[in-house]
Amino acid sequence: MTVLAVTGTGTEVGKTVTTAALAAVAVAAGRSVAVLKPAQTGFAPGEPGDTAEVVRLAGEAVTTLELARYPEPLAPATAARRAGLPTLSAEDIAEAAEKLAASHDLVLVEGAGGLLVRFDAAGATLAGAARLLAAPALVVATAGLGTLNATELTAEALRARGVACAGVVIGSWPAAPDLACACNLRELPEVAGAPLAGVLPEGAGALAPARFRAAAPGWLTSALGGTWKGPDAPLHA
């Protein structure tokens, strides 16, 4: 795949750290990687945002591009309106991703919040951009109670829009998983209609960059370039 959309079942589910892990694994395999963040919200100009975090964790070899930045931590369409700044269309996002894909082996497009968060008043979403690009989407989900419903809704929304689901990654697996987590590990592929493609340990983003890069392949399955063998395999930070 050339372009992969990275979405989530909501906000704060681990999309940025997952994107960094994907980038780190691809770079280690000798691929050129670009990360596109269409809209960064909640950061002032000059502050390091999600793309800076990806570079910190995955390394300077990663190309990054941010199309718009809005100061308030809101949905991009709302944040843009309140700030009086231009919005983004699905076509804007797709065009930027295509340009990056012309010179990179892999382009990761990290969304804002969940799949259907709006970028403009007309209803542009990451799903719309992925459809224009004919790109699959990777769903980052939480581990605990409530994740099955949120994941199934996200997968259903992808199917309704003709976007393939590349799999589900659990963005933060707790050090002491409860019964719900243990059950969800087995049931997420069923509700998503897509494979469990990875599990990142809790606190992965706090690891030293060198350790993060060394450990990242062990968090992702071979479909994403990693070495993790699935729910029965050990997970190491």
Side-chain angles (χ1 to χ4, degrees):
M1 76 186 66
T2 302
V3 180
L4 177 66
V6 182
T7 189
T9 55
T11 191
E12 302 299 327
V13 297
K15 288 191 305 298
T16 298
V17 178
T18 298
T19 299
L22 292 165
V25 168
V27 168
R31 304 178 73 191
S32 56
V33 180
V35 172
L36 171 63
K37 181 74 176 182
Q40 178 73 70
T41 65
F43 288 84
E47 284 188 296
D50 291 344
T51 58
E53 181 65 1
V54 170
V55 170
R56 185 185 72 83
L57 291 169
E60 296 288 340
V62 179
T63 300
T64 62
L65 177 62
E66 183 183 285
L67 298 182
R69 176 172 289 219
Y70 309 116
E72 295 180 315
L74 302 168
T78 305
R81 185 184 71 246
R82 287 177 53 84
L85 294 171
T87 57
L88 295 170
S89 67
E91 289 77 11
D92 292 332
I93 298 167
E95 181 181 0
E98 287 174 340
K99 287 180 178 178
L100 289 169
S103 56
H104 293 82
D105 299 320
L106 175 65
V107 179
L108 302 169
V109 186
E110 184 192 340
L115 178 68
L116 301 185
V117 167
R118 293 188 170 199
F119 288 96
D120 67 8
T125 65
L126 182 65
R131 182 174 56 193
L132 289 173
L133 290 160
L138 183 71
V139 178
V140 182
T142 58
L145 197 63
T147 197
L148 297 180
N149 177 67
T151 301
E152 187 162 6
L153 286 171
T154 301
E156 185 175 298
L158 286 170
R159 286 193 294 271
R161 288 158 178 79
V163 179
C165 182
V168 179
V169 170
I170 296 175
S172 180
W173 183 255
D178 60 14
L179 178 61
C181 291
C183 292
N184 291 341
L185 193 65
R186 306 286 178 175
E187 294 176 19
L188 275 168
E190 180 181 347
V191 301
L196 183 65
V199 177
L200 274 65
E202 184 178 60
L207 295 175
R211 185 176 175 191
F212 180 92
R213 294 167 206 166
W219 305 332
L220 304 172
T221 64
S222 59
L224 297 177
T227 58
W228 187 59
K229 302 300 183 183
D232 294 320
L235 184 67
H236 302 291

